[in-house]
Amino acid sequence: MRKFGAYSLFTLCLTSGLSYAETTPLAVVTQYMQAWNQHDSHKAGTYFADKVSYYDASVGEPVVGKQQATQQVVKTFVDAVPDLRWVMTSKPVYNGDTIAFQWRFTGTNDGAWAGTPATHKKISFDGVSFIKVSQGKITYQGDYYDSKKLSDQLK
């Protein structure tokens, strides 16, 4: 009985540790980016907290709310660049529950973007994101990139 009790306790601790490991900020961000790269805006949106604040520096005003961020940011990008690839290009930096990293976004503009018809041009631009994760959900994302370079590529 003691062996079984010790084994059960060990298993419980191990599986609890695995559950915790799966919700680290890096794990959440990695899975979130995979959803973007699978072109699944709905799945990407499941990583947002209900009251997420998504700040895109090129827009200047944050989009607040899970549904709004999913539709107005993620879906907009996925629809405009259906072959998109979003990858980390630097080792992430941590500050508690916040992760920051450099990235590259590439693809072809084959869908309408913010009311502008598709240009069918390839795009590639670099940026930085700051993402705050709380209880396994993204509560804040701030994206900073050269929007002029992106705009020039779409012309």
Side-chain angles (χ1 to χ4, degrees), residues 51-113:
K51 296 180 181 178
V52 65
S53 178
Y54 196 122
Y55 178 76
D56 181 325
S58 72
V59 176
E61 291 291 324
V63 175
V64 179
K66 179 178 185 171
Q67 182 178 356
Q68 293 83 348
T70 301
Q71 291 297 313
Q72 295 174 28
V73 181
V74 183
K75 188 171 184 338
T76 296
F77 272 89
V78 169
D79 288 351
V81 187
D83 65 342
L84 72 83
R85 296 298 308 155
W86 182 33
V87 297
M88 283 188 196
T89 58
S90 72
K91 185 175 178 180
V93 177
Y94 300 93
N95 183 9
D97 58 2
T98 303
I99 181 171
F101 57 93
Q102 292 174 293
W103 48 258
R104 177 165 295 130
F105 188 98
T106 59
T108 308
N109 175 222
D110 282 335
W113 202 333

Side-chain angles (χ1 to χ4, degrees), residues 36-50:
W36 275 76
N37 290 323
Q38 293 165 350
H39 316 121
D40 189 341
S41 56
H42 173 75
K43 184 176 179 182
T46 65
Y47 292 95
F48 291 140
D50 289 340

